[in-house]
Amino acid sequence: MSGFPILSLMLAVPAIAAIACAFAGDRAARLIALGATLATFVLGCILWANYDIGGAQWQFTERADLFGRFQWALGIDGMALMLIMLSVFLMPLCILASWDAVKNRVGLYMAMFLVMETIIIGVFSAQDLLLFYIFFEAGLIPMYFIIGIWGGANRIYAAFKFFLYTLLGSVLMLIAMIAMIAEAGTTDIPTLLSYDFPPAMQTWLWLAFFASLAVKMPMWPVHTWLPDAHVQAPTAGSMILAGVLLKLGSYGFLRFMMPMFPDASAQLMWIVFALSMIAVVYTSLVALVQSDMKKLIAYSSVAHMAIVTAGLFAFNQQGIEGALIIMLSHGVVSAALFFCVGVIYDRLHTREIDRYGGLAVNMPAYALFFLLFTMASIGLPGTSGFVGEFLSLLGIYEASSWVAFVCTTGIILGAAYMLYLYRRVVFGELIKDDVKAMPDLTVREWTIMVPLAAVALWMGVYPESFLAPMRGDVTTVVARLAPAKPAGDAHLAIGKAKPAQAHGETAKGAQQAGGVQ
Amino acid sequence: MTADLMLIWPELILTIGGLVTLMLGTFAGDRQVGLYQVSALLTLAAAAAAVVALFGVETTVFSGTLSVDGFGGFAKLLIYAASFVCIIIAPRFFGGGMRAEYPTLILFAALGMGIMASSRDLMTLYVGLELNSLAAYVLASFMRTDERSSEAGLKYFVLGALASGMLLYGISLLYGFTGTTDFAGIATVLGGELNIGLIFGIVFVLAGLGFKISAVPFHMWTPDVYEGAPTPVTTFFATAPKVAAMALMTRVVIDAMGPAVGAWQQIVIFLSLASIILGAVGAIGQKNIKRLLAYSSINNVGFMLVGLAAGTPQGVEGVLTYLLVYMLTTLGAFLVVLQLRDADGNQVESIPALAGLSQRRPGLAAAMAVFLFSLAGIPPLFGFWPKYLVFEAAVNANLLPLAVAGIVASVIGAFYYIAIIKTMYFDDKSDTEIPAGGGAIVEDAVITASALWLSVIGYLFIPLLAVLSASAAAVLF
């Protein structure tokens, strides 16, 4: 496997398919897009299968000096691997989700999704700072088209807001990157990761990166583009936006800000904690009063992402691992929830919660899946949400019990708004005639629901599959942060483990212990 | 003398070729479009070949008034290439109104611009500039029966004369206080104590040149002239003279005023930020695509000036790369505008009429989207790269506030670029039909080639561009 440029291949397959789609007819475009995303998914599985857990930090590295000033340098670590897996897993489902829903300009639509996939894989695998920035920014263009052409009534406003908001954040990061390149004299990310920037400079660089990543994240108070973008985007657009694009911000935190500017991260962690605490409580409360299903889920995304940021800045193994699991879990679950909304939107063409009710009677299979994803979003044990939230809150508690306290209320509020949503949509009397006429899931919808549900449960029951590749990388980040890490307020003392006893020696051991006393 | 003449082959070829084209037009008549077109194009090709042949030569001719070097060569190649395209596209636009004066005037303008780009004396500078300007005034009013075209020509002439006056006043002050018109001589004097006369001279010269590159606050003529002039002429104005004036400004600032950094840098920084911001804000309300591209050119000049403000070799490299990429993008964008004709064959210039273009002419709309995203500097399009270079130069020259202000203002600019893309892609079809067809193969080929190059392919040329622009920039330091 070594030496084969599998990452370049994973970038090339959707890119070439995108060009083909742009010129193909409607039906052909759908088939090409599905085929290409499935092929990329298979490549992703090969990537995962060949990833050597505990091996070198950067694997599948490729390097070609194509651009003079910077390089075509690709390579992944465990965190990038998992996020790439998430993206290639969601992509075929997105294509399937828009199989019938998108009727005009299908070729362009599929091309945009495939371009999006190329860009996302590129962001997660870039090993060169400028290459990363190019991929990072390029994501604006397909998303602008997806929201603007195939979105809802207010799509143009949403597309502009999305584009300009995120662009404004990103350009400041570009200036910071220029300063970093000038200081360190290289664009190579692994080298920059171990470069010690002067602390005074770190603060400015951190703030510039924060300006960009907080918008992408999105963190309160710069989250306002997200509900608009989600509500107006087509179903698959929301799936990919919530599933993958929101992870770019937290990936940037973990890949750049924390290991590259450890001192500034420690110095300014209060900003992150404060904004996260406000976001958890505020956006959860806002979610509670929404009458639009997509808006509700969008606000819940902001709340979940706030727990991610707090978990990351806990600076310890549990916090960061938990944050990563929330990222993966939220990727699957929020995409699934948006799809659940899409399923009934396709039937009734409204996202008003009040227009529904009693779906459990005529759409039992749908109600079952919706319940599963609702529970996963709340964080019920056995689902993916629980693992991530528990781990990250544990980590946050070590850093600051107050932050943990406030963030935990988010879980309670989360249960409130999700269950309230579920009750209004699925339970109650089935009295509306048009709702009565809605058929249950089609085969295509089953095909999308089942893999999402399976992964949500897998991640909840055996998270080790997902944690194992990332553990070493998290340890590296934690070690990098260790010198700057402030003391937590938990004052945890490591308990003294008793020596293990062999079977049958219990009584004897107890006697001996007693004897010593 | 003869040795000097051997070194200005490009200029000689253009002079002779221009006269030959003029004769052909006079004796064969304006109907023989093919004849004088070919003559003009061959002249430009030969001049470009002469520039290439002279590459590597670095010397001055005619008592140091004109320099033959890589910097001038780089600029001349861009100028000739832009002029070449502008001659090719003309006959289809003018139809029966095509006259031999058009290619002739472009050739003489190109000659003047070549002299601008390689002058190293205030006198040759002025002669080159005026040769270019006089040709340009006539070109602007080339459709003499068209009211807008005549108005554009007149406006350009009056304001251009004013700018020339300012420039001459500045030149006279510099000459009076330094005792020389030679760039190197001026630099020597400026290296010492600056007096009020010298500072006034610098300000007036920069103001005059600022007019030529249409930097704010000397930009007022640009939207009107761009809108009024015939589209091929606008294409020409937006490309070749921009390159020439920018090259000239770079040479004056670095070569002649180099030692007086404190005096010119703040002026350039002001011109730069004012152009970026006003170019972006002014474009927002525009309904005419040519006016909008005029504001876009003002905006882009601002970004080039960011590189110039750095005053370092890196900054000049950034400016040169920017000029190349900007020229290609602008050529492409104007060629797209040229293709926009309604069912009666009239030019469509209003932006609302572009609504739904992506459904009628998907290829054309896609190319336009590439050009606009590239002008906005959104990666992965290649327009990002020169912007990166100029900002990198500014950061490395400790001009961080300029870089931050400039890049934040670039977001305002992005607004109107994506607004046109919105019109083309998101809006429903407008009533104006824009039928496909009739497009010359050459135009389509240029549009396709530049759109492809400006998409990701351009990045593969970075090493080559870096070598070219570095060797050209090294001449000035």
Side-chain angles (χ1 to χ4, degrees), chain A residues 65-70 104-105 108 119 130 133-135 137-141 144-149 155-156 159-160 163-165 167-168 171-172 174-175 177-179 181-182 187, chain B residues 314 358-359 369 373 378-381 384-385 388-389 391-393 395-396 400 403-404 407-408 410-411 414-415 418-422 424-428 456 459-463 466:
Chain A
D65 195 3
L66 287 182
F67 311 122
R69 293 288 306 284
F70 64 106
N104 65 330
R105 296 198 253 177
L108 187 61
I119 288 167
L130 284 178
Y133 183 81
I134 288 170
F135 279 124
E137 278 288 276
L140 293 181
I141 296 177
Y144 176 70
F145 282 112
I146 290 171
I147 298 174
I149 300 182
R155 59 187 202 274
I156 289 167
F160 270 78
F163 193 96
L164 295 174
Y165 241 81
L167 181 65
L168 181 62
V171 293
L172 288 175
L174 180 63
I175 293 288
M177 284 180 169
I178 292 173
I181 293 168
T187 55
Chain B
Q314 202 188 10
S358 67
Q359 278 146 295
F373 274 128
I378 312 286
L381 300 164
F384 163 71
W385 185 245
Y388 172 80
L389 287 179
F391 282 116
E392 189 184 36
V395 169
N396 290 346
L400 198 60
V404 171
I407 206 157
V408 168
S410 77
V411 177
F415 173 76
I418 65 171
I420 308 180
I421 292 169
K422 171 227 142 204
M424 292 191 307
Y425 276 87
F426 303 172
D427 290 356
D428 294 328
V456 285
Y459 285 92
L460 297 175
F461 288 84
I462 290 177

Side-chain angles (χ1 to χ4, degrees), chain A residues 40-171:
Chain A
T40 319
F41 178 60
V42 170
L43 284 171
C45 292
I46 297 173
L47 196 70
W48 194 0
N50 284 285
Y51 184 82
D52 177 18
I53 297 170
Q57 188 190 359
W58 303 103
Q59 301 185 17
F60 307 103
T61 50
E62 295 169 29
R63 210 153 276 272
D65 195 3
L66 287 182
F67 311 122
R69 293 288 306 284
F70 64 106
Q71 293 186 317
W72 178 257
L74 302 176
I76 51 166
D77 63 355
M79 299 186 289
L81 171 74
M82 282 296 119
L83 289 165
I84 289 178
M85 282 311 296
L86 175 68
S87 323
V88 296
F89 167 71
L90 286 178
M91 268 299 168
L93 302 178
C94 287
I95 301 289
L96 273 179
S98 32
W99 201 262
D100 295 330
V102 172
K103 290 190 180 64
N104 65 330
R105 296 198 253 177
V106 180
L108 187 61
Y109 180 87
M110 294 299 168
M112 284 301 160
F113 263 88
L114 290 164
V115 168
M116 199 73 219
E117 180 169 31
T118 310
I119 288 167
I120 292 165
I121 298 174
V123 168
F124 289 133
S125 57
Q127 285 232 295
D128 184 287
L129 202 58
L130 284 178
L131 191 64
F132 169 83
Y133 183 81
I134 288 170
F135 279 124
F136 189 77
E137 278 288 276
L140 293 181
I141 296 177
M143 211 57 212
Y144 176 70
F145 282 112
I146 290 171
I147 298 174
I149 300 182
W150 297 278
N154 205 9
R155 59 187 202 274
I156 289 167
Y157 170 75
F160 270 78
K161 195 167 177 181
F162 166 79
F163 193 96
L164 295 174
Y165 241 81
T166 38
L167 181 65
L168 181 62
S170 302
V171 293

Side-chain angles (χ1 to χ4, degrees), chain B residues 109-125:
Chain B
L111 171 63
M113 289 186 283
I115 295 174
M116 280 161 79
S118 45
S119 66
R120 54 183 311 286
D121 186 284
L122 292 174
M123 289 326 291
T124 37
L125 174 161

Side-chain angles (χ1 to χ4, degrees), chain B residues 92 339 361 435-439:
Chain B
R92 188 165 157 257
Q339 299 244 326
R361 306 278 306 269

